Amino acid sequence: YEETPFVVRVQALCGKRLRVSLVSSQCMVAGAATQQVTIAQDAESMGSCELRFGLVPLVVGFVPVPEIICHEGGLDDQCEWTRVPTQVTSSPSLCVVQNKRFAACAANFFTHPLDLLKVRQQTMKGTGNGLVHVVRGVFAEGGMLGFYNGMSAAVLRQMTYSMARFATYEELKKRMSREDGSLPFYRMAAAGIVAGAVGGICGTPADIVLVRLQNDGSLPLAQRRNYKHAIDGLVQITRSEGPRGLFKGAVPNVSRAMLMTGAQLCSYDAFKDLLLSTPYFTNGLALHFSASLLSGFVATTITSPFDVVKTRVMNAGPTSP
C-alpha cells in the first residue's frame, strides 16, 4: 500500500515540549508513531507547529483519520490540533487492485450458479442438454446448494486470475501513459490483452479445479474426482497428473482471457459513445451499466468457442469417461 500523508498542526503554550502520538485501529504509522516537538516561543502565549505522519490503511480503500494524543512529562496534556489539508500526488494502485479483486469475488457469489450451468451444458454429450434439463438435474442432485458446487475454486480463481490481471493492467497503464497522463486507445487495448494473458496463466490451475468440481455431479459415481475443496483438488491433480496437469487447457484459457479483455475494452468504449449520441443517455450509472452489459454480451459471444474448448480440455483426465 502507498502511504497517505497525514499532517497535523498542534497548538499549545509557548516553550512547552510535547510528545504527539497517533492512535488508530484502522491504520498503522509508517515510521515513528510518536514525535517530540517543542512549541516555539515566537508568540505571546500560544504557539503552533506542524507534524507529518505517513499512514498505511489496514482496510482497503479506507482513508484513516487517527486520534491525536499530546503528552507532557509522561502525562496526558491538553492541546489543540487540526488536520492540515494535503494532496496525495500518487494513486494507491495496489488498493485499486485489491478493491477490484474483492469486487470480483463478491460478484462471483451471484454469477456462480450461471457459470455452473454453462459448464454442465458444455460438457454434456448427446441430446437433453437444454438449460431447463440441466437446471432440473442440478437441483435434483443437491437442491439449491447444488448450484454452488465448486465455490471455493471459484473464489481461488478470482483471487489469482483477477489479481494478476488487474495488477498487470494497472502497472502497464502507468508505464504506457503519456506525460500528460492520457492513455491512447491502442495502448489501452494492448495493456488489456497482455493483462488478460498474464491473468489466464495465473488462473489456469484454479480454473481446472473449478471446472471439475462443477461438473463432478454429472459424472457416474465411479468416475467422480470427489475433490473436497479447491486446495484438495490442486493436490490431487498434482499427484495423479503431475505439475503439468495444473496447466492443462492453458492455451485456450489464455486465448480466451486475451480476447475477453480486448473485446470488452473495444466494445465498451464503442457502445458508450453510441449510447451518448442518443437523447436517452447521459454520463451516469445507467450509461455505464448499459455499455457494460452490451460489451459483456459481445465479449462472451466472441470467446464462447474458446470457452467450450477450454472447459472440455480441463475436464479431461485419467478418470474421464
Side-chain angles (χ1 to χ4, degrees):
Y1 297 100
E2 297 185 10
E3 294 181 13
T4 300
F6 192 92
V7 181
V8 294
R9 180 178 291 109
V10 180
Q11 186 173 13
L13 293 175
C14 290
K16 180 171 292 188
R17 185 172 180 81
L18 301 174
R19 290 186 298 115
V20 182
S21 302
L22 271 69
V23 181
S24 177
S25 60
Q26 289 85 18
C27 62
M28 60 181 178
V29 181
T34 300
Q35 299 186 33
Q36 293 194 13
V37 60
T38 300
I39 303 298
Q41 301 188 37
D42 56 356
E44 295 181 357
S45 59
M46 298 290 289
S48 64
C49 66
E50 292 186 1
L51 298 177
R52 183 184 182 91
F53 295 85
L55 301 182
V56 179
L58 297 181
V59 181
V60 176
F62 181 77
V63 179
V65 181
E67 178 185 358
I68 305 296
I69 300 179
C70 300
H71 308 270
E72 182 188 26
L75 301 176
D76 291 351
D77 186 67
Q78 296 294 327
C79 70
E80 298 180 3
W81 64 272
T82 57
R83 182 173 181 177
V84 180
T86 57
Q87 181 177 3
V88 181
T89 57
S90 58
S91 60
S93 57
L94 184 56
C95 287
V96 172
V97 172
Q98 294 282 22
N99 283 336
K100 291 183 177 179
R101 184 181 68 169
F102 290 133
C105 291
N108 210 69
F109 285 93
F110 298 96
T111 61
H112 185 77
L114 299 176
D115 192 54
L116 183 141
L117 296 175
K118 178 204 71 174
V119 169
R120 290 288 181 93
Q121 284 190 292
Q122 289 175 339
T123 55
M124 290 183 70
K125 299 179 180 179
T127 59
N129 60 345
L131 181 60
V132 176
H133 176 79
V134 175
V135 170
R136 289 177 179 174
V138 173
F139 186 79
E141 292 167 11
M144 291 302 298
L145 293 179
F147 291 94
Y148 286 89
N149 285 340
M151 192 65 205
S152 62
V155 174
L156 178 63
R157 178 183 179 275
Q158 294 297 343
M159 299 288 283
T160 53
Y161 167 73
S162 296
M163 178 67 173
R165 185 174 66 146
F166 290 140
T168 304
Y169 183 65
E170 292 294 330
E171 184 63 26
L172 288 176
K173 274 204 314 182
K174 289 196 300 183
R175 292 179 179 272
M176 298 173 69
S177 297
R178 293 172 175 170
E179 293 183 357
D180 59 357
S182 63
L183 184 65
F185 176 75
Y186 70 93
R187 294 186 184 182
M188 184 185 300
I193 292 174
V194 174
V198 174
I201 294 173
C202 296
T204 295
D207 222 340
I208 294 176
V209 180
L210 172 61
V211 168
R212 295 183 178 184
L213 281 172
Q214 288 178 328
N215 190 56
D216 218 32
S218 64
L219 298 175
L221 292 176
Q223 297 175 349
R224 295 182 182 181
R225 279 93 175 193
N226 296 318
Y227 300 155
K228 298 177 182 177
H229 44 73
I231 304 302
D232 180 61
L234 295 175
V235 173
Q236 290 198 40
I237 292 174
T238 304
R239 288 176 179 174
S240 61
E241 304 174 41
R244 293 183 61 181
L246 294 174
F247 292 92
K248 181 178 292 185
V251 172
N253 191 38
V254 171
S255 302
R256 172 191 173 276
M258 294 172 64
L259 285 174
M260 174 69 75
T261 309
Q264 281 181 327
L265 286 172
C266 297
S267 59
Y268 176 79
D269 286 336
F271 280 124
K272 188 170 69 172
D273 293 340
L274 179 63
L275 294 174
L276 280 174
S277 65
T278 67
Y280 307 106
F281 287 91
T282 57
N283 193 11
L285 180 61
L287 172 67
H288 296 295
F289 178 81
S290 301
S292 299
L293 187 66
L294 293 171
S295 66
F297 174 78
V298 171
T300 302
T301 303
I302 293 175
T303 59
S304 182
F306 292 90
D307 198 45
V308 174
V309 174
K310 177 210 77 170
T311 300
R312 294 190 177 182
V313 172
M314 289 181 172
N315 186 55
T319 58
S320 294

